Amino acid sequence: MAANDTIADMLTRIRNSCLAQHSTTKIPSTKMTRNIARVLKEEGFVGEVEETGEGIKQFLVISLKYKGKNRQPIIRHIQRISKPGLRVYKNRKELPKVLGGIGIAIISTSSGIMTDREARRRGIGGEVLCYVW
């Protein structure tokens, strides 16, 4: 994995923290990671998202959510789709439905980062960043 794929790095950190049942995970803060974290929070996959650190070394501290006695992670699967070496773009008619609408696809559009549902509602396509369910 290239060191400059901040999205893949973010998804991997979230995936690993869920598997280890950590309550929070720390991710380097960029405009892209902040927007993805915002979408995950709006969709209920993660709890609070806080920004810490100062100057150039800023981090997002994301609270992970679990359910039940066995603390099953809410995020069961998180997968990078569009990679720096192979970008995946879809127009509004081709936007993916993840698990028949149970999961979400996070899309980078000209109007910002949003879910596949929101992009479909607005009638715009974009780059498919990742799937989450």
Side-chain angles (χ1 to χ4, degrees), residues 33-70:
T33 56
R34 278 195 301 276
N35 283 320
I36 293 174
R38 175 184 51 79
V39 171
L40 289 173
K41 182 175 192 265
E42 284 168 5
E43 292 294 311
F45 285 106
V46 297
E48 288 307 304
V49 177
E50 287 170 29
E51 203 153 353
T52 61
E54 60 247 22
I56 199 156
K57 284 246 186 278
Q58 291 208 314
F59 287 94
L60 293 176
V61 178
I62 299 178
S63 313
L64 302 170
K65 287 165 91 175
Y66 299 92
K67 61 174 184 266
K69 285 200 293 287
N70 304 337

Side-chain angles (χ1 to χ4, degrees), residues 80-91 94-96 106-108 125-131:
R80 181 82 160 106
I81 302 301
S82 192
K83 302 178 178 74
L86 180 67
R87 300 279 182 205
V88 179
Y89 295 97
K90 298 288 183 194
N91 68 28
E94 299 170 321
L95 284 174
I106 297 180
I107 316 284
S108 174
E127 184 181 351
V128 183
L129 300 177
C130 59
Y131 292 162

Side-chain angles (χ1 to χ4, degrees), residues 92-128:
R92 63 192 174 89
K93 292 189 184 74
E94 299 170 321
L95 284 174
K97 266 199 162 50
V98 181
L99 282 187
I102 298 169
I104 63 167
I106 297 180
I107 316 284
S108 174
T109 70
S110 52
S111 309
I113 307 281
M114 59 186 74
T115 64
D116 55 315
R117 214 171 301 125
E118 176 68 14
R120 214 175 276 116
R121 197 178 62 76
R122 294 193 192 184
I124 49 181
E127 184 181 351
V128 183

